[in-house]
Amino acid sequence: MIIEARGVSRSYGSTPALREANLSVAAGEVVAIMGPSGSGKSTLLHCLAGIFTPDSGEVWFDGRRLDTLDDGRRSELRRTAFGFVFQFGQLVPELTAADNVMLPLLLGRTRRKHAQRRAAEWLERLELADLGGRRTGELSGGQAQRVAIARALVTRPRVVFADEPTGALDTLTGEHVMDLLVGLAREEGATVIVVTHDARVAACADREVVVRDGRVSDPYTIGAVR
Amino acid sequence: MTVPLALLGLLEREPSHGYDLKRDYDTIFGRGRPLPFGQVYSTLGRLARDGKVTGQSEPGDGPDRKRYAITPLGRQEVATWLAEPVAAEPYLQTVLFTKVVLALMLGRDAAGYLDAQRATHMRRMRELAEIKRGGPLTDALLADHAMFHLEADLRWIDVTQARLGALAEVVRAS
Ligand SMILES: Nc1ncnc2c1ncn2[C@@H]1O[C@H](COP(=O)(O)OP(=O)(O)O)[C@@H](O)[C@H]1O
Ligand SMILES: [Mg+2]
């Protein structure tokens, strides 16, 4: 298992969002987290990615406890081992596509020249070779998400976390974005955990789990399948 | 229902022998469910009887010595059929609905059934997504059609799952 939640609970004030959630993901797997809105999908993703610390339970990454690391070590891990794609790319709109993709490399103190080359490479893999100089605020939704994918993969992460990456896109654009995300992550050997309520998006994954009321049910391991 | 119309449509494209017609049907529409020869010839026979195709005998023997062509009446039939929307059928819905209501009525595990159905639907969705990735556009479009229908079922499954408690009360009260 590359990443695991073991009995993870998390509340916002008095609102329980996760109740002893369990999820194990093997290296190289693509897993979809589905479920109604408000069921705790994003909270689970954030706990797995070390963005939130659980109130109780454990999160393991690559054989190590993640939830007990101090803030500095956790953000270091997020920067080096994880990549993120959110519903709205969370790109810096005033920067060009290339600069956005370079950003995580520069934060990791990669030399500028090298970062530029890597960014250009990744923009090309996302079929954005011509748009590197364009400010991301001027891109279409699908183009912006492809820039976000380039930025998530440019650091060669072990795990990519995506939260509704196609939520703001139409069917065909969303499908294209998902094909690129999953296809490239597989080429890189990266694990993907994608939150989505869209069955077509989830169909790109190897398997799906369903979150209901803060609990994870895995239809392939629980007695649901006869 | 669609077989006679599909054969008529193929004949509107060009006159053909029964054998070639079957081969074209299997390639374009059959999708792993080839049309039996018997059905091809019986369908062509009915279409000829109704004046929608003509069968021109050619020298030689065997059933395949007939070359079929569409008539103006046949063309009309194809045109009408193509302009006509299909009844908005509820597909699987009746089966799913019946199973859920019956499970609730009998005190069985309706939620478990819905989970299992959901997993089965998702497995099929993944197979279809795989077909789309590798295959030609025609296959992708057929897969899409199936996926959108499965998606509608999945949404219904989720909504029903969320309302199972209320539904159980209604069912038990009836
Ligand atoms: N920042 C927050 N403050 C208070 N409640 C929150 C916050 N974020 C999420 N919640 C609540 O926690 C529950 C789970 O939320 P979330 O994980 O975002 O669900 P999902 O991603 O499945 O829509 C919901 O009831 C939501 O209202
Ligand atoms: Mg969410």
Side-chain angles (χ1 to χ4, degrees), chain A residues 34-35 171 175 179 198-200 202-208 210 212 217 219-220 224-226, chain B residues 109 112-113 115-116 118-120 122-123 125-126 129 132-133 143-144 147-148 151 154 158 161:
Chain A
M34 304 188 74
T171 301
E175 194 168 284
D179 280 347
D198 184 338
R200 295 171 69 86
C204 299
D206 299 318
R207 66 181 167 108
E208 81 282 354
V210 184
R212 268 193 209 100
S217 75
Y220 303 102
V225 174
R226 293 102 221 238
Chain B
D109 183 8
Y113 161 69
D115 279 342
R118 194 176 195 292
T120 303
M122 281 305 302
R123 212 172 293 137
M125 288 285 283
R126 272 195 296 278
K132 285 186 62 174
R133 257 192 296 280
D144 265 335
M147 285 177 93
F148 283 123
E151 211 182 329
L154 282 161
D158 285 344
Q161 186 77 272

Side-chain angles (χ1 to χ4, degrees), chain A residues 8-28:
Chain A
V8 168
S9 298
R10 175 72 152 80
S11 298
Y12 299 96
S14 59
T15 313
L18 281 184
R19 309 164 197 249
E20 303 194 10
N22 295 301
L23 178 64
S24 299
V25 179

Side-chain angles (χ1 to χ4, degrees), chain A residues 16-19 36 38-40 210-216:
Chain A
L18 281 184
R19 309 164 197 249
S39 61
V210 184
V211 182
R212 268 193 209 100
D213 284 333
R215 293 189 185 87
V216 182

